[in-house]
Amino acid sequence: MPRNPLPPPPPPVHLRTWPDREALLGDRALAVGELTRRLLGGRRLTLFLLVLGGLQLGWLIAGGALISLDDGPLDPFSLLFAVLGVCFGVALLVPAGYAAASGVRRDRAARALLLQWAALDRDPARDARFRAPAPSVTWFLLSFVLCAAGLWISFTVPAAARPGTTTYAEVAYGMGAGLLLWVHGLMGLAKAVGHYRLAVRLLRAPGPPEPAPAGRSASSAPPPPA
């Protein structure tokens, strides 16, 4: 069981026991609000940055160990430290990569649940709060900066390489660091844009049909004569 499980999905139609529409809207608001917080909240953003930091740190240690092999003639101690550095870097990269993949799967599950709860009804007054403009803009701007920095590093490092002074290991390290920034930023951009599109759908969705007045037929046609 995960430490913080996601809210359950809405019950099937034949098991729904809400006494009235207000009770349904109340439960819907709680679920949509919690799922929005799980997707865009400060805790999720902190985890997003920590995972990126773990990936960059692991790549820095592994890449630094590989670069050290090109510094001069190898001796047993240098080779040992290089191998240990690569192993330690990989030991950081693997769990950080697993955490990144787990975060993507968890976000996908949360988004699917959010769509299920949102499809129950329409409530513009409450749904307007779930647009979360400040968190969405924060995710978008931060992710855009990461993407731009990653692309800039990936292109400038090989372009600035000079034969005889820049080693292949240094170029590979720079391009790898830029690729990690770019991919991580792209995941954040997808999250921010996806939530914005979902919020627009929530606010533009058609409302439920109005109940027929008491004493009148549900059809617009007048009742047949007796």
Side-chain angles (χ1 to χ4, degrees):
M1 290 291 291
R3 179 179 297 181
N4 296 311
L6 295 172
V13 177
H14 63 282
L15 295 179
R16 294 175 185 174
T17 58
W18 285 292
D20 51 34
R21 183 168 179 259
E22 280 304 315
L24 182 150
L25 292 178
D27 287 348
R28 175 184 179 274
L30 289 175
V32 171
E34 176 64 14
L35 290 167
T36 301
R37 184 182 66 83
R38 297 290 185 92
L39 286 169
L40 299 175
R43 183 173 181 178
R44 183 68 185 89
L45 181 60
T46 301
L47 180 61
F48 177 80
L49 295 176
L50 287 176
V51 169
L52 176 59
L55 290 171
Q56 290 289 349
L57 180 59
W59 184 247
L60 172 64
I61 296 173
L66 293 176
I67 292 173
S68 68
L69 297 177
D70 293 334
D71 290 341
L74 290 179
D75 57 79
F77 288 103
S78 299
L79 183 60
L80 176 62
F81 282 121
V83 171
L84 290 177
V86 170
C87 292
F88 187 63
V90 172
L92 289 175
L93 283 171
V94 170
Y98 178 79
S102 298
V104 171
R105 290 195 300 267
R106 194 168 178 82
D107 287 345
R108 188 179 303 170
R111 179 177 172 81
L113 286 174
L114 183 56
L115 289 172
Q116 293 178 37
W117 278 102
L120 289 178
D121 206 329
R122 180 175 180 263
D123 188 9
R126 292 188 176 101
D127 290 344
R129 297 178 303 165
F130 303 139
R131 296 181 64 180
S136 295
V137 171
T138 300
W139 274 90
F140 182 85
L141 293 179
L142 179 61
S143 301
F144 180 81
V145 170
L146 293 177
C147 282
L151 288 176
W152 182 79
I153 293 173
S154 297
F155 283 106
T156 56
V157 168
R162 295 294 179 266
T165 58
T166 306
T167 64
Y168 288 108
E170 291 173 343
V171 174
Y173 167 73
M175 294 184 66
L179 181 64
L180 289 175
L181 287 173
W182 181 74
V183 172
H184 219 65
L186 197 62
M187 292 191 300
L189 282 177
K191 179 196 290 284
V193 174
H195 183 78
Y196 173 78
R197 293 178 61 185
L198 175 61
V200 171
R201 286 173 56 185
L202 283 177
L203 295 178
R204 291 182 180 177
E210 294 293 334
R216 291 286 305 274
S217 171
S219 172
S220 58

